[in-house]
């Protein structure tokens, strides 16, 4: 069941558990009845903003992450025609000094990172737009993502095993204007489509997930299997949000560039994902570690608006999958 977004992520001392649509002004966990120490909250409070945008030529992924005791950012540009990464940049830093992520997911959003020869930001601006800027040695990008006429965004809220609570606000296809430069080449972004993932939670130290996301004006979806269950599984058909069941990801962990099958247990989504390439990162600091692979490619298969609806054929739907585990 999908309900309108509540005014707060906390209701009567508990997470406003559910799958909702509509904007939320702020993700604020201070009203939770269950108390933990200031230090526990500091170490377990995770926030991130991720933008994925693409067209026939390229796919760009940008993330700014605050994990409480550190912050990090990455930005990559994948050339779909050459099937190669033209830019793959990342840095780590100190939270508050080198980076931060606001509690406002869309309107009022501000995520930023500053490091050696690097400036990144995602900021809500006049005209109900998100302004994305990346200025690194590998990638330069300026883009405007228009929120004004977007389809209803997803808001999923719920408790977390080993943590306290999590909320995520996700959009489907947002119109893009702008440009990017990488590998000595200039790319126009006008006509591309973007999706935003704004997530904020008090999470477990060991957190793992599989994720799939793909968007264009007629079809978009978001799927997750892992720490958040099926809370954020949603399909947009011609802008109309439709709840999806639990997700299944069938793929070869050792060969992430082989085809994936992605489906839901309610039979509404059954797609094959064919990767064109991937960004991957493997970090191990001893006390913290992360393993991550995000293939870029296209989905094809069938979707249904309901259990008795006629199947709708899908092909060449650009998006990503992800296999991720963090000890943070």
């Amino acid at each position: 069941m999908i309900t309108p977004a509540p005014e707060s992520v906390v209701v009567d001392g508990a997470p406003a558990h559910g799958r909702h649509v509509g904007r939320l002004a702020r993700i604020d966990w201070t009203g939770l009845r269950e108390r933990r120490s200031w230090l526990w909250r500091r170490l377990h409070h995770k926030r991130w903003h991720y933008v994925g945008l693409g067209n026939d030529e390229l796919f760009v992924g940008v993330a700014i992450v605050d994990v409480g005791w550190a912050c990090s950012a990455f930005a990559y540009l994948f050339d779909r025609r050459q099937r190669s990464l033209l830019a793959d940049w990342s840095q780590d830093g100190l939270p508050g000094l080198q980076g931060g992520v606001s509690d406002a997911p869309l309107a009022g959003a501000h995520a930023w990172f500053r490091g050696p020869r690097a400036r990144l930001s995602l900021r809500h601006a006049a005209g109900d737009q998100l302004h994305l800027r990346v200025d690194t040695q590998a990638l330069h990008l300026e883009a405007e993502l228009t929120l004004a006429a977007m389809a209803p965004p997803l808001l999923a809220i719920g408790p977390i095993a080993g943590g306290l609570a999590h909320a995520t606000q996700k959009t489907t296809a947002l119109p893009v204007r702008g440009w990017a430069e990488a590998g000595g080449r200039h790319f126009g972004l006008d006509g591309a489509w973007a999706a935003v993932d704004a997530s904020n939670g008090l999470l477990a130290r060991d957190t793992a997930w599989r994720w799939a996301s793909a968007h264009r004006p007629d079809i978009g979806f978001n799927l997750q299997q892992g720490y958040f269950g099926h809370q954020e599984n949603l399909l947009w058909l011609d802008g109309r949000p439709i709840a999806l069941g639990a997700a299944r990801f069938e793929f070869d962990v050792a060969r992430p560039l082989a085809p994936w099958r992605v489906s839901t247990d309610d039979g509404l989504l059954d797609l094959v994902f064919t990767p064109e390439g991937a960004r991957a990162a493997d970090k191990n600091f001893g006390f913290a570690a992360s393993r991550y692979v995000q293939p870029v490619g296209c989905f094809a298969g069938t979707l249904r608006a309901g259990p008795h609806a006629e199947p709708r054929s899908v092909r060449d739907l650009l998006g990503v999958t992800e296999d991720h585990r963090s000890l943070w």
Side-chain angles (χ1 to χ4, degrees):
M1 184 175 70
I2 304 174
T3 59
E7 293 185 2
S8 170
V9 294
V10 178
V11 176
D12 296 329
H17 191 286
R19 186 165 21 190
H20 317 282
V21 291
R23 296 201 208 189
L24 182 72
R26 188 165 178 260
I27 299 173
D28 181 358
W29 299 114
T30 56
L32 286 173
R33 184 183 305 112
E34 186 174 347
R35 299 294 180 182
R36 301 289 175 93
S37 69
W38 174 89
L39 180 61
W40 187 95
R41 282 180 171 255
R42 179 70 180 181
L43 296 178
H44 287 258
H45 198 171
K46 318 299 179 184
R47 304 175 178 93
W48 64 87
H49 270 81
Y50 169 89
V51 176
L53 66 88
N55 58 22
D56 290 341
E57 282 191 289
L58 57 79
F59 186 88
V60 172
V62 179
I64 300 172
V65 184
D66 181 347
V67 300
W69 49 269
C71 64
S72 64
F74 71 74
Y76 72 85
L77 187 151
F78 178 76
D79 184 327
R80 297 187 62 205
R81 293 176 178 172
Q82 295 185 1
R83 298 201 168 200
S84 64
L85 284 167
L86 286 189
D88 184 7
W89 171 93
S90 65
Q91 273 186 23
D92 300 309
L94 297 173
L97 295 176
Q98 291 178 270
V101 179
S102 71
D103 288 329
L106 294 174
H110 183 208
W112 59 278
F113 183 90
R114 301 187 188 101
R117 305 184 70 178
R119 296 290 186 273
L120 290 83
S121 65
L122 178 70
R123 182 190 289 272
H124 188 245
D128 204 16
Q129 299 191 33
L130 291 173
H131 183 219
L132 176 64
R133 179 192 177 205
V134 177
D135 188 6
T136 71
Q137 289 179 278
L139 175 63
H140 302 273
L141 178 148
E142 294 275 352
E144 292 180 343
L145 286 54
T146 302
L147 299 174
M150 68 177 171
L154 164 70
L155 173 64
I157 307 168
I160 294 293
L164 282 181
H166 184 64
T168 184
Q169 178 109 80
K170 290 183 166 71
T171 75
T172 187
L174 301 175
V176 178
R177 293 188 306 163
W179 55 269
E181 292 179 347
R185 296 170 58 192
H186 181 91
F187 298 88
L189 299 179
D190 293 7
W193 299 98
V196 175
D197 172 350
S199 294
N200 183 320
L202 297 160
L203 302 182
R205 175 156 162 73
D206 191 346
T207 304
W209 66 86
R210 287 162 180 170
W211 179 57
S213 174
H215 305 275
R216 67 187 187 212
D218 59 331
I219 297 169
F221 68 86
N222 184 86
L223 290 180
Q224 194 259 171
Q225 178 191 54
Y227 74 102
F228 207 25
H230 67 281
Q231 285 286 96
E232 61 180 78
N233 295 349
L234 197 77
L235 169 67
W236 289 267
L237 283 181
D238 299 316
R240 180 167 67 96
I242 299 164
L244 293 172
R248 292 189 293 259
F249 288 75
E250 301 170 56
F251 69 106
D252 187 339
V253 174
R255 298 172 59 242
L257 293 183
W260 299 43
R261 185 180 178 196
V262 180
S263 60
T264 54
D265 66 358
D266 53 16
L268 300 189
L269 182 149
D270 191 352
L271 301 173
V272 172
F273 174 72
T274 304
E276 299 171 359
R279 179 186 186 266
D282 193 348
K283 299 179 181 180
N284 192 336
F285 303 108
F287 64 91
S290 68
R291 180 185 55 79
Y292 157 99
V293 60
Q294 186 174 97
V296 176
C298 286
F299 293 87
T302 57
L303 300 170
R304 297 174 187 267
H308 305 297
E310 289 295 316
R312 182 163 170 171
S313 180
V314 178
R315 56 179 297 179
D316 299 326
L317 177 59
L318 173 63
V320 296
T321 55
E322 183 174 289
D323 186 22
H324 195 136
R325 182 170 183 176
S326 288
L327 183 67
W328 54 7

